[in-house]
Amino acid sequence: FRGYIQMATTLKICVYKKTKLETSFSIPCKVVKLGTELLPNPVVEILNAEGISIPEIAKLASKPDLSGVLMEVERHGLGDTVIVSLA
């Protein structure tokens, strides 16, 4: 069907330590504004350390035409990677 947009339904944040998945968090996009307050501490700490705004991620999650990986943050000295995506 032409013009149909598949809206992302889930915000997912994954934290890897030295390529091993340490923490993952998924929340429905419809409740993401409420749920960002429930993010696990390791996720919040890394996002804050990199200057990534959690409220801005919530705004992006509300856009119906946006999906896929929003950002991938690699902290080479620490071996951390954070992937924020909409699926």
XYZ file of all heavy atoms in Angstrom:
659
model
N 0.847 -1.167 0.000
C 0.000 0.000 0.000
C 0.890 1.226 0.000
O 1.713 1.426 0.878
C -0.912 -0.046 1.231
C -1.731 1.195 1.423
C -2.801 1.486 0.620
C -1.414 2.072 2.443
C -3.546 2.609 0.812
C -2.150 3.200 2.654
C -3.228 3.480 1.835
N 0.731 2.047 -1.006
C 1.565 3.217 -1.156
C 1.253 4.256 -0.078
O 0.109 4.496 0.257
C 1.338 3.833 -2.530
C 2.585 4.451 -3.080
C 2.331 5.132 -4.352
N 2.101 4.155 -5.424
C 2.099 4.465 -6.686
N 2.271 5.709 -7.056
N 1.901 3.567 -7.599
N 2.274 4.878 0.457
C 2.090 5.898 1.467
C 2.032 5.356 2.891
O 1.966 6.116 3.840
N 2.052 4.053 3.041
C 1.991 3.456 4.378
C 3.357 3.567 5.030
O 4.370 3.221 4.449
C 1.572 1.990 4.284
C 1.562 1.261 5.596
C 0.531 1.472 6.509
C 2.575 0.383 5.935
C 0.520 0.809 7.719
C 2.573 -0.280 7.149
C 1.535 -0.065 8.031
O 1.517 -0.715 9.232
N 3.387 4.063 6.260
C 4.633 4.177 7.005
C 4.572 3.236 8.194
O 3.631 3.281 8.982
C 4.861 5.624 7.505
C 5.009 6.574 6.322
C 6.076 5.699 8.410
C 5.085 8.027 6.713
N 5.553 2.373 8.307
C 5.632 1.471 9.449
C 6.247 2.234 10.612
O 7.416 2.584 10.585
C 6.488 0.244 9.103
C 6.677 -0.720 10.245
C 5.388 -1.404 10.659
O 4.567 -1.734 9.815
N 5.206 -1.603 11.942
N 5.444 2.531 11.610
C 5.926 3.289 12.758
C 6.722 2.383 13.693
O 6.336 1.258 13.956
C 4.751 3.893 13.518
C 5.159 4.765 14.658
S 3.726 5.569 15.368
C 4.450 6.296 16.806
N 7.835 2.915 14.177
C 8.612 2.178 15.164
C 7.772 2.021 16.422
O 7.038 2.924 16.806
C 9.902 2.927 15.478
N 7.844 0.871 17.035
C 7.031 0.609 18.220
C 7.846 0.497 19.501
O 7.287 0.565 20.581
C 6.213 -0.687 18.040
O 7.107 -1.769 17.801
C 5.243 -0.563 16.885
N 9.163 0.339 19.379
C 9.988 0.094 20.560
C 11.284 0.891 20.504
O 11.976 0.907 19.492
C 10.336 -1.404 20.661
O 9.135 -2.164 20.638
C 11.098 -1.714 21.934
N 11.603 1.530 21.619
C 12.911 2.149 21.797
C 13.776 1.125 22.512
O 13.377 0.576 23.535
C 12.798 3.414 22.650
C 14.130 4.029 23.099
C 14.886 4.598 21.908
C 13.892 5.103 24.142
N 14.945 0.848 21.957
C 15.832 -0.144 22.554
C 17.209 0.470 22.756
O 17.758 1.098 21.860
C 15.936 -1.387 21.672
C 16.731 -2.499 22.314
C 16.586 -3.811 21.582
C 17.266 -4.908 22.370
N 17.068 -6.210 21.788
N 17.749 0.271 23.957
C 19.091 0.738 24.283
C 19.882 -0.467 24.782
O 19.446 -1.164 25.700
C 19.064 1.848 25.347
C 18.251 3.038 24.832
C 20.482 2.270 25.716
C 18.046 4.143 25.848
N 21.030 -0.715 24.161
C 21.893 -1.840 24.537
C 23.265 -1.307 24.936
O 23.822 -0.454 24.249
C 22.070 -2.810 23.372
S 20.539 -3.554 22.813
N 23.800 -1.821 26.033
C 25.136 -1.454 26.495
C 26.009 -2.698 26.425
O 25.680 -3.728 27.015
C 25.105 -0.915 27.943
C 26.522 -0.598 28.421
C 24.213 0.307 28.047
N 27.104 -2.576 25.679
C 28.065 -3.672 25.550
C 29.350 -3.282 26.277
O 29.814 -2.154 26.162
C 28.394 -3.929 24.074
C 27.236 -4.444 23.281
C 26.322 -3.575 22.703
C 27.053 -5.810 23.103
C 25.245 -4.052 21.969
C 25.978 -6.294 22.376
C 25.081 -5.411 21.812
O 24.015 -5.888 21.096
N 29.916 -4.208 27.015
C 31.227 -4.037 27.642
C 32.163 -5.026 26.977
O 31.967 -6.235 27.078
C 31.170 -4.339 29.142
C 30.294 -3.398 29.933
C 31.054 -2.177 30.329
C 30.180 -1.346 31.272
N 30.810 -0.134 31.672
N 33.141 -4.491 26.276
C 34.118 -5.320 25.565
C 33.418 -6.384 24.722
O 33.693 -7.569 24.831
C 35.111 -5.934 26.540
C 35.860 -4.878 27.302
C 36.909 -5.457 28.205
C 37.401 -4.333 29.069
N 38.723 -4.117 29.210
N 32.476 -5.959 23.909
C 31.681 -6.751 22.956
C 30.680 -7.696 23.599
O 29.974 -8.410 22.906
C 32.560 -7.541 21.961
O 33.228 -8.604 22.629
C 33.558 -6.657 21.247
N 30.584 -7.724 24.923
C 29.612 -8.585 25.592
C 28.428 -7.731 26.051
O 28.620 -6.718 26.723
C 30.246 -9.286 26.793
C 29.303 -10.230 27.496
C 29.971 -10.909 28.661
C 28.955 -11.815 29.344
N 29.403 -12.266 30.627
N 27.218 -8.151 25.701
C 26.026 -7.422 26.104
C 25.904 -7.430 27.620
O 25.829 -8.484 28.245
C 24.770 -8.037 25.471
C 23.454 -7.334 25.796
C 23.451 -5.906 25.274
C 22.294 -8.112 25.197
N 25.927 -6.239 28.212
C 25.829 -6.123 29.672
C 24.412 -5.741 30.107
O 23.881 -6.282 31.061
C 26.812 -5.080 30.187
C 26.739 -4.915 31.696
C 27.727 -3.890 32.192
O 28.883 -4.267 32.425
O 27.323 -2.728 32.334
N 23.815 -4.791 29.408
C 22.491 -4.296 29.761
C 21.719 -3.998 28.490
O 22.285 -3.458 27.545
C 22.601 -2.982 30.573
O 23.432 -3.196 31.702
C 21.252 -2.485 31.029
N 20.449 -4.357 28.483
C 19.588 -3.923 27.383
C 18.262 -3.489 27.977
O 17.841 -3.988 29.023
C 19.394 -5.021 26.338
O 18.702 -6.118 26.886
N 17.643 -2.552 27.315
C 16.411 -1.964 27.809
C 15.521 -1.664 26.624
O 15.951 -1.039 25.672
C 16.742 -0.675 28.570
C 15.559 -0.011 29.195
C 15.051 -0.451 30.400
C 14.951 1.064 28.573
C 13.966 0.173 30.985
C 13.864 1.690 29.146
C 13.372 1.243 30.361
N 14.286 -2.130 26.672
C 13.314 -1.860 25.615
C 12.060 -1.281 26.242
O 11.640 -1.721 27.315
C 12.939 -3.146 24.870
O 14.056 -3.692 24.228
N 11.483 -0.317 25.552
C 10.249 0.293 26.043
C 9.389 0.691 24.848
O 9.919 1.158 23.836
C 10.556 1.506 26.944
C 9.281 2.046 27.560
C 11.298 2.576 26.205
C 9.518 2.984 28.703
N 8.078 0.484 24.926
C 7.203 0.906 23.835
C 7.313 2.418 23.604
O 7.357 3.192 24.569
C 5.792 0.535 24.317
C 6.007 -0.524 25.338
C 7.328 -0.199 25.990
N 7.363 2.826 22.355
C 7.500 4.242 22.021
C 6.337 5.076 22.575
O 6.527 6.232 22.931
C 7.603 4.433 20.505
S 9.180 3.892 19.842
N 5.170 4.498 22.670
C 4.008 5.251 23.159
C 4.159 5.683 24.611
O 3.546 6.650 25.031
C 2.727 4.429 22.997
C 2.323 4.278 21.553
C 1.005 3.554 21.441
C 0.611 3.463 19.981
N -0.722 2.899 19.808
N 4.967 4.984 25.383
C 5.143 5.347 26.790
C 6.581 5.770 27.106
O 6.962 5.866 28.264
C 4.715 4.198 27.734
C 3.248 3.939 27.640
C 5.527 2.955 27.488
N 7.353 6.064 26.066
C 8.777 6.345 26.265
C 9.005 7.590 27.119
O 9.967 7.658 27.875
C 9.521 6.417 24.919
C 9.251 7.712 24.188
C 11.003 6.215 25.126
N 8.130 8.587 27.053
C 8.331 9.780 27.874
C 8.260 9.437 29.355
O 8.960 10.007 30.164
C 7.313 10.853 27.519
C 7.604 11.513 26.199
C 6.667 12.641 25.920
C 7.018 13.272 24.582
N 6.171 14.399 24.277
N 7.416 8.511 29.722
C 7.337 8.072 31.109
C 8.469 7.115 31.438
O 9.043 7.163 32.516
C 6.001 7.367 31.369
C 4.738 8.166 31.114
C 3.523 7.263 31.233
C 4.646 9.329 32.067
N 8.801 6.249 30.504
C 9.743 5.168 30.750
C 11.194 5.555 30.788
O 11.999 4.827 31.344
N 11.567 6.709 30.216
C 12.980 7.064 30.248
C 13.456 7.283 31.675
O 14.630 7.165 31.963
C 13.276 8.313 29.393
O 12.449 9.383 29.827
C 13.067 8.034 27.920
N 12.544 7.580 32.575
C 12.907 7.716 33.980
C 13.239 6.358 34.595
O 13.829 6.283 35.672
C 11.778 8.378 34.758
C 11.522 9.800 34.307
C 10.264 10.396 34.897
O 9.639 9.756 35.763
O 9.910 11.501 34.489
N 12.871 5.287 33.911
C 13.109 3.934 34.412
C 14.359 3.294 33.818
O 14.622 2.131 34.074
C 11.894 3.050 34.086
C 10.550 3.533 34.620
C 9.429 2.659 34.084
C 10.549 3.538 36.129
N 15.116 4.039 33.029
C 16.314 3.480 32.405
C 17.296 2.991 33.468
O 17.470 3.632 34.511
C 17.010 4.529 31.539
C 16.326 4.903 30.246
C 17.038 6.100 29.621
C 16.297 3.750 29.284
N 17.950 1.861 33.206
C 18.951 1.350 34.156
C 20.112 2.336 34.334
O 20.492 3.037 33.401
C 19.443 0.060 33.501
C 18.404 -0.295 32.503
C 17.779 0.982 32.066
N 20.677 2.377 35.525
C 21.764 3.306 35.829
C 22.948 3.226 34.864
O 23.472 4.269 34.474
C 22.249 3.122 37.267
C 21.297 3.746 38.257
O 20.548 4.661 37.927
N 21.307 3.254 39.470
N 23.414 2.029 34.449
C 24.548 2.003 33.512
C 24.235 2.730 32.205
O 25.095 3.405 31.645
C 24.786 0.511 33.262
C 24.205 -0.177 34.440
C 23.048 0.672 34.875
N 23.000 2.628 31.738
C 22.608 3.297 30.499
C 22.610 4.806 30.711
O 23.180 5.566 29.919
C 21.210 2.810 30.035
C 20.712 3.635 28.865
C 21.254 1.336 29.683
N 21.982 5.262 31.786
C 21.902 6.699 32.082
C 23.295 7.291 32.262
O 23.597 8.363 31.720
C 21.030 6.951 33.331
C 21.092 8.413 33.756
C 19.589 6.532 33.073
N 24.155 6.598 32.992
C 25.512 7.094 33.238
C 26.289 7.272 31.942
O 26.966 8.288 31.745
C 26.258 6.150 34.178
C 25.748 6.187 35.595
C 26.337 5.090 36.470
O 27.231 4.355 36.015
O 25.864 4.966 37.618
N 26.206 6.298 31.062
C 26.952 6.387 29.800
C 26.367 7.478 28.910
O 27.106 8.281 28.334
C 26.979 5.026 29.078
C 27.841 4.049 29.877
C 27.505 5.171 27.655
C 27.801 2.625 29.378
N 25.040 7.543 28.797
C 24.423 8.591 27.975
C 24.781 9.970 28.515
O 25.142 10.868 27.744
C 22.911 8.402 27.907
C 22.418 7.152 27.175
C 20.901 7.041 27.272
C 22.859 7.139 25.724
N 24.692 10.155 29.821
C 25.046 11.449 30.424
C 26.519 11.782 30.210
O 26.861 12.922 29.909
C 24.717 11.463 31.918
C 23.233 11.576 32.177
O 22.475 12.059 31.344
N 22.812 11.120 33.340
N 27.400 10.796 30.360
C 28.835 11.024 30.176
C 29.161 11.458 28.758
O 30.115 12.209 28.533
C 29.622 9.765 30.538
N 28.364 10.994 27.809
C 28.596 11.345 26.404
C 27.789 12.572 25.976
O 27.807 12.957 24.819
C 28.259 10.160 25.503
C 29.163 8.965 25.716
C 30.635 9.292 25.460
O 30.944 10.023 24.504
O 31.477 8.807 26.238
N 27.052 13.168 26.933
C 26.278 14.374 26.623
C 25.041 14.108 25.787
O 24.556 14.998 25.086
N 24.521 12.893 25.847
C 23.340 12.527 25.070
C 22.099 12.784 25.918
O 21.981 12.277 27.029
C 23.402 11.056 24.619
C 24.615 10.860 23.706
C 22.111 10.647 23.918
C 24.946 9.422 23.436
N 21.191 13.576 25.391
C 19.991 13.987 26.114
C 18.913 12.911 26.054
O 18.434 12.563 24.974
C 19.453 15.287 25.511
O 18.167 15.564 25.988
N 18.527 12.409 27.207
C 17.465 11.408 27.264
C 16.130 12.003 26.804
O 15.409 11.362 26.041
C 17.394 10.771 28.669
C 18.683 9.977 28.916
C 16.166 9.882 28.811
C 18.857 9.471 30.322
N 15.781 13.246 27.192
C 14.545 13.835 26.657
C 14.551 13.971 25.132
O 13.516 13.808 24.485
C 14.474 15.208 27.341
C 15.225 15.028 28.615
C 16.348 14.082 28.263
N 15.711 14.240 24.544
C 15.792 14.328 23.076
C 15.572 12.958 22.434
O 14.962 12.853 21.377
C 17.123 14.927 22.630
C 17.235 16.404 22.908
C 16.155 17.231 22.225
O 15.844 16.994 21.036
O 15.620 18.131 22.896
N 16.082 11.909 23.066
C 15.824 10.555 22.563
C 14.326 10.284 22.603
O 13.757 9.715 21.674
C 16.611 9.502 23.376
C 18.107 9.635 23.097
C 16.135 8.089 23.041
C 18.975 8.769 23.983
N 13.663 10.712 23.676
C 12.214 10.536 23.797
C 11.482 11.266 22.680
O 10.523 10.736 22.108
C 11.737 11.020 25.166
N 11.943 12.473 22.334
C 11.326 13.222 21.227
C 11.485 12.474 19.914
O 10.553 12.377 19.122
C 11.949 14.613 21.093
C 11.499 15.589 22.138
C 12.149 16.935 21.867
C 11.945 17.892 23.016
N 12.643 19.167 22.792
N 12.674 11.935 19.670
C 12.913 11.180 18.437
C 12.025 9.941 18.372
O 11.523 9.578 17.316
C 14.381 10.780 18.327
C 15.372 11.897 18.048
C 16.801 11.374 18.139
C 15.111 12.517 16.697
N 11.834 9.295 19.513
C 11.026 8.073 19.555
C 9.570 8.342 19.214
O 8.848 7.433 18.809
C 11.129 7.427 20.931
N 9.132 9.584 19.347
C 7.739 9.916 19.052
C 7.501 10.228 17.569
O 6.371 10.393 17.157
C 7.287 11.097 19.906
O 7.935 12.279 19.501
N 8.554 10.290 16.778
C 8.408 10.591 15.347
C 8.010 9.324 14.596
O 8.723 8.336 14.630
C 9.697 11.166 14.788
C 10.059 12.492 15.415
C 11.237 13.110 14.740
C 11.593 14.389 15.433
N 11.192 15.557 14.721
N 6.876 9.367 13.892
C 6.355 8.155 13.263
C 7.178 7.634 12.086
O 7.111 6.458 11.764
C 4.958 8.564 12.811
C 5.016 10.039 12.670
C 6.004 10.513 13.697
N 7.963 8.485 11.455
C 8.689 8.064 10.254
C 10.149 7.708 10.520
O 10.933 7.541 9.600
C 8.613 9.153 9.192
C 9.167 10.482 9.663
O 9.277 10.680 10.894
O 9.478 11.326 8.811
N 10.518 7.567 11.773
C 11.898 7.296 12.129
C 12.033 5.885 12.686
O 11.261 5.473 13.546
C 12.350 8.314 13.182
C 13.832 8.417 13.495
C 14.623 8.778 12.240
C 14.052 9.478 14.555
N 12.991 5.125 12.177
C 13.262 3.791 12.708
C 14.704 3.416 12.424
O 15.385 4.072 11.650
C 12.311 2.745 12.100
O 12.544 2.604 10.729
N 15.159 2.364 13.076
C 16.534 1.903 12.904
C 17.441 2.447 13.992
O 16.990 2.983 15.004
N 18.735 2.332 13.776
C 19.717 2.792 14.758
C 19.762 4.317 14.733
O 19.989 4.920 13.686
C 21.113 2.202 14.478
C 22.155 2.787 15.416
C 21.087 0.684 14.600
N 19.533 4.929 15.890
C 19.618 6.381 16.011
C 21.048 6.813 16.262
O 21.505 7.824 15.740
C 18.734 6.884 17.157
C 17.249 6.626 17.058
C 16.540 7.142 18.304
C 16.673 7.283 15.813
N 21.753 6.054 17.113
C 23.140 6.371 17.400
C 23.853 5.163 17.981
O 23.222 4.276 18.553
C 23.248 7.555 18.359
C 22.750 7.276 19.749
S 22.760 8.723 20.806
C 21.389 9.613 20.138
N 25.141 5.158 17.779
C 26.012 4.144 18.358
C 27.195 4.883 18.957
O 27.918 5.575 18.247
C 26.469 3.163 17.289
C 27.257 2.012 17.824
C 27.515 0.936 16.787
O 26.692 0.756 15.880
O 28.571 0.276 16.901
N 27.343 4.785 20.262
C 28.415 5.484 20.969
C 29.449 4.461 21.390
O 29.137 3.517 22.110
C 27.857 6.223 22.217
C 28.985 6.917 22.967
C 26.769 7.201 21.827
N 30.685 4.656 20.927
C 31.776 3.759 21.281
C 32.755 4.505 22.176
O 33.256 5.554 21.796
C 32.490 3.266 20.029
C 31.606 2.435 19.134
C 32.323 1.954 17.888
O 33.530 1.639 17.990
O 31.684 1.912 16.844
N 32.978 3.963 23.337
C 33.952 4.545 24.269
C 35.175 3.638 24.242
O 35.303 2.711 25.032
C 33.338 4.660 25.654
C 32.175 5.625 25.642
C 31.329 5.638 26.870
N 31.992 5.270 28.095
C 31.688 5.768 29.276
N 30.742 6.649 29.392
N 32.302 5.357 30.365
N 36.068 3.936 23.315
C 37.190 3.047 23.016
C 38.092 2.785 24.215
O 38.512 1.663 24.438
C 38.006 3.602 21.847
C 37.217 3.662 20.583
N 36.904 2.555 19.853
C 36.638 4.710 19.951
C 36.191 2.900 18.806
N 36.001 4.212 18.844
N 38.389 3.796 24.987
C 39.269 3.611 26.134
C 38.687 2.680 27.183
O 39.410 2.018 27.914
N 37.359 2.623 27.242
C 36.695 1.796 28.238
C 36.153 0.497 27.662
O 35.741 -0.386 28.405
C 35.543 2.582 28.883
C 35.939 3.885 29.558
C 34.699 4.657 29.985
C 36.837 3.615 30.746
N 36.093 0.412 26.350
C 35.564 -0.786 25.709
C 34.046 -0.866 25.748
O 33.477 -1.942 25.603
N 33.376 0.276 25.970
C 31.922 0.321 26.029
C 31.337 0.727 24.687
O 31.927 1.541 23.975
C 31.431 1.360 27.040
C 31.841 1.066 28.465
O 32.256 -0.075 28.735
O 31.725 1.971 29.295
N 30.177 0.187 24.367
C 29.405 0.613 23.212
C 27.953 0.696 23.636
O 27.450 -0.220 24.284
C 29.540 -0.372 22.029
O 30.911 -0.493 21.677
C 28.755 0.107 20.815
N 27.295 1.782 23.284
C 25.876 1.954 23.548
C 25.188 2.129 22.199
O 25.608 2.959 21.387
C 25.591 3.183 24.430
C 24.093 3.340 24.659
C 26.319 3.071 25.750
N 24.143 1.335 21.968
C 23.370 1.446 20.728
C 21.946 1.827 21.100
O 21.298 1.152 21.892
C 23.386 0.126 19.947
C 24.835 -0.237 19.573
C 22.505 0.232 18.698
C 24.982 -1.599 18.936
N 21.475 2.931 20.506
C 20.108 3.400 20.697
C 19.395 3.222 19.379
O 19.839 3.734 18.345
C 20.090 4.886 21.123
C 18.655 5.389 21.301
C 20.915 5.115 22.388
N 18.274 2.470 19.398
C 17.565 2.209 18.146
C 16.063 2.216 18.350
O 15.558 2.086 19.469
C 18.005 0.867 17.559
O 17.686 -0.184 18.441
N 15.367 2.391 17.242
C 13.907 2.285 17.199
C 13.554 1.142 16.282
O 14.064 1.043 15.166
C 13.301 3.589 16.663
C 13.469 4.822 17.529
C 13.007 6.051 16.772
C 12.694 4.672 18.816
N 12.691 0.274 16.743
C 12.298 -0.878 15.933
C 10.791 -1.020 15.943
O 10.112 -0.592 16.831
C 12.935 -2.139 16.467
